[in-house]
Amino acid sequence: MAVDYAVIVLYLAGMLAMGWWGMRRATSKSDFLVAGRRLGPVMYSGTMAAIVLGGASTIGGVGLGYQYGLSGAWMVFTIGLGLLGLSVFFSARIARLKVYTVSEMLDLRYGGAAGLISGVVMWAYTLMLAVTSTLAYATIFDVLFGLDRTLAIVLGGAIVVAYSTLGGMWSITLTDMVQFVVKTIGVLLLLLPLALVKAGGFAQLKAQLPSDYFAPLGIGGQTVFTYVLIYSFGMLIGQDIWQRVFTARSDRVARLGGTAAGTYCLVYAVAGAVIGTAAKVLYPHLGSPDDAFATIVKDALPVGVRGLVLAAALSAVMSTSSGALIACATVANNDIWARVRRGAGRRPAEHRGSPEGRSSEAQSPEASAGHDEVRGNRLFILLMGVAVIVIALALNDVVEALTLAYNVLVGGLLVPILGGLLWKRGNAAGALASVVVGGVTVVGLMVALGVLANEPIYYGLLASLVSYVAVSLATRPTDAAVLAAWRERLGPRPAAVAGAPGPAGD
């Protein structure tokens, strides 16, 4: 294992070095939170694919393949479909807003009334998303070094917190690009064919496993429908995903780069399911499906290759963990703490006036008085990182934690966000009612029926939609000045971000 250990240690050291290098580039709030809005198509598509394909998609995806066969691909497949939908239909409009958070978008669209509560919901989602990736360190480091669960979570989490805190989005972008390359080589080009060969090929898989393992809906039609509601729609509205859209230097980069990343996710989904199916043939009696990935890597791969594939698993975990962490910290600082510090639930008037005044890049009074926004956001990443590690130590199930995060997100925020983008009559009162009613319904049903039950998201979305439409129609429309400012912000913009010094990110 000495060679494998060397590969892993060098990889982890490289992640920290990139964090240090990114710290030198993150000199402004825009640099720290959205990489200066200057990523080109190559880095944008690579980092977008990296963030959505994390520990749950890799370890959990292989685990679902182990448990259900090829239909285990549906969870990750619906993530890819959601990313494609976001990129084709919404990414251009999102990029034009030039905001930092989803709650800022809601402020602009509805006049500032729903921002705080939506920020709390989004914070809960991004926090749990970071936790799911951090949980995966336990499996990987146990295989690598025989570390116990607590030490593995603390070690993996500390590395991600370190490079994310140092350089913010620049560090995360650089590390994600490396992680995308390592993940592609390790999982798609090495583990997939080697696992198939080790298991005897598709003919042997079909001979040894039940026919349900090869049925398109073997996992269950209702489960697939639930995955679409949770993961496909979750991709449309997640802060972690939107924050990556904000890094694109143009509408075209956001649309085409995101489409490429979504297509990559579809391929990755099938690969994970095939690897899990092969693991079922090789190791039919594992204690947990989530052990399938680490077990097949440890036993089926040669020295050196094993280290690279385990580095790919770390890549998957770290990319999503770091992206969710900076999203969580951005929401906590900009949407929650900033409002609490002001003692009000609405943004200052200057953020609701002219486009220049409303832009979140315009300095607040605190900033003009010398407030160090980069230092403040760096501190929040550190604090949220510690919280993520502590929560991960108390949880066990990766897929269950991911489902909890997406249920809260989709049930509470899908309707008011898409309603704001698509329905002019939707107003602040309707948005607020939708967030509260949908969120409370989802949480209440998860408590009553279980986190993995299908009913919470069904009834939560229905309650959210009915509340949004009914309350919006029963109350006054959004102020004409707010809608005019919103339309102006969504208007055409230049091909590249004004003032960008060049094609960064290519």
Side-chain angles (χ1 to χ4, degrees):
M1 291 290 291
V3 175
D4 297 324
Y5 290 163
V7 171
I8 299 299
V9 171
L10 287 174
Y11 171 78
L12 294 177
M15 296 299 99
L16 292 174
M18 289 186 180
W20 183 262
W21 186 85
M23 182 176 66
R24 302 176 62 183
R25 296 202 63 170
T27 57
S28 69
K29 180 179 179 181
S30 178
D31 287 334
F32 192 82
L33 295 182
V34 290
R37 308 186 194 274
R38 292 191 286 118
L39 295 191
V42 175
M43 288 195 75
Y44 179 86
S45 59
T47 58
M48 181 64 88
I51 188 177
V52 300
L53 297 174
S57 297
T58 302
I59 296 172
V62 171
L64 288 172
Y66 181 90
Q67 190 172 3
Y68 298 105
L70 299 186
S71 66
W74 274 109
M75 184 185 79
V76 182
F77 201 85
T78 55
I79 290 174
L81 293 178
L83 184 55
L84 285 172
L86 172 73
S87 302
V88 172
F89 298 110
F90 298 107
S91 62
R93 279 183 282 180
I94 293 171
R96 291 175 199 150
L97 293 174
K98 291 187 66 179
V99 295
Y100 291 109
T101 69
V102 174
S103 292
E104 289 181 10
M105 168 264 173
L106 293 173
D107 273 355
L108 291 171
R109 170 60 180 83
Y110 295 115
L116 179 58
I117 191 168
S118 65
V120 172
V121 173
M122 188 62 74
W123 172 79
Y125 155 72
T126 53
L127 182 70
M128 290 307 300
L129 185 61
V131 167
T132 62
S133 294
T134 306
L135 281 169
Y137 295 126
T139 299
I140 298 171
F141 280 104
D142 175 56
V143 173
L144 285 175
F145 306 115
L147 297 179
D148 67 30
R149 180 179 182 277
T150 298
L151 185 57
I153 289 174
V154 171
L155 176 61
I159 292 171
V160 170
V161 172
Y163 73 70
S164 301
T165 301
L166 286 173
M169 188 60 82
W170 270 121
S171 293
I172 291 170
T173 297
L174 294 171
T175 54
D176 278 2
M177 196 62 202
V178 173
Q179 289 159 357
F180 170 75
V181 173
V182 172
K183 188 186 309 182
T184 301
I185 296 173
V187 175
L188 298 185
L189 302 183
L190 292 177
L191 181 58
L192 175 61
L194 290 174
L196 267 177
V197 170
K198 185 77 172 178
F202 276 108
Q204 192 66 15
L205 297 185
K206 289 187 176 181
Q208 296 198 31
L209 295 173
S211 59
D212 287 349
Y213 267 68
F214 305 94
L217 296 178
I219 198 171
Q222 187 179 37
T223 299
V224 174
F225 180 65
T226 303
Y227 283 163
V228 171
L229 289 183
I230 295 175
Y231 299 122
S232 295
F233 287 133
M235 286 294 105
L236 300 180
I237 59 174
Q239 168 67 26
D240 53 320
I241 309 303
W242 279 40
Q243 199 157 343
R244 292 310 173 100
V245 175
F246 300 151
T247 66
R249 74 173 184 224
S250 70
D251 299 352
R252 187 171 182 271
V253 167
R255 185 183 302 110
L256 297 183
T259 300
T263 303
Y264 178 90
C265 292
L266 303 183
V267 175
Y268 198 88
V270 176
V274 172
I275 293 168
T277 305
K280 183 66 175 179
V281 170
L282 295 170
Y283 319 101
H285 304 298
L286 292 178
S288 168
D290 283 345
D291 293 337
F293 180 89
T295 302
I296 196 170
V297 169
K298 181 179 180 181
D299 293 346
L301 301 183
V303 173
V305 173
R306 180 170 51 206
L308 183 59
V309 173
L310 286 170
L314 282 175
S315 297
V317 174
M318 287 182 168
S319 57
T320 296
S321 183
S322 58
L325 179 58
I326 193 172
C328 178
T330 302
V331 171
N333 188 20
N334 293 273
D335 292 332
I336 300 175
W337 172 242
R339 296 172 188 270
V340 171
R341 189 177 56 204
R342 288 193 298 266
R346 295 174 65 87
R347 293 188 176 277
E350 64 264 28
H351 288 281
R352 302 192 299 272
S354 66
E356 293 79 8
R358 286 192 329 275
S359 173
S360 55
E361 298 192 25
Q363 287 190 326
S364 65
E366 292 88 347
S368 62
H371 175 66
D372 187 344
E373 291 181 311
V374 172
R375 183 190 302 173
N377 282 290
R378 185 173 283 136
L379 175 61
F380 267 85
I381 290 180
L382 179 60
L383 293 174
M384 293 301 104
V386 172
V388 164
I389 293 172
V390 170
I391 295 172
L393 293 173
L395 296 178
N396 288 303
D397 193 294
V398 173
V399 174
E400 184 171 306
L402 188 68
T403 302
L404 172 64
Y406 274 98
N407 273 349
V408 172
L409 172 72
V410 175
L413 291 181
L414 176 68
V415 171
I417 291 173
L418 294 188
L421 290 170
L422 301 173
W423 190 39
K424 183 174 68 174
R425 184 61 179 82
N427 62 14
L432 189 59
S434 179
V435 173
V436 173
V437 173
V440 169
T441 302
V442 165
V443 172
L445 288 175
M446 282 193 294
V447 171
L449 304 175
V451 173
L452 297 181
N454 293 318
E455 289 82 1
I457 192 62
Y458 297 165
Y459 292 113
L461 269 178
L462 179 61
S464 180
L465 177 61
V466 170
S467 300
Y468 181 72
V469 173
V471 175
S472 292
L473 293 176
T475 54
R476 296 180 58 185
T478 303
D479 185 84
V482 173
L483 284 178
W486 168 257
R487 286 192 293 269
E488 182 181 352
R489 181 71 73 93
L490 288 177
R493 72 181 290 194
V497 175
D506 279 332

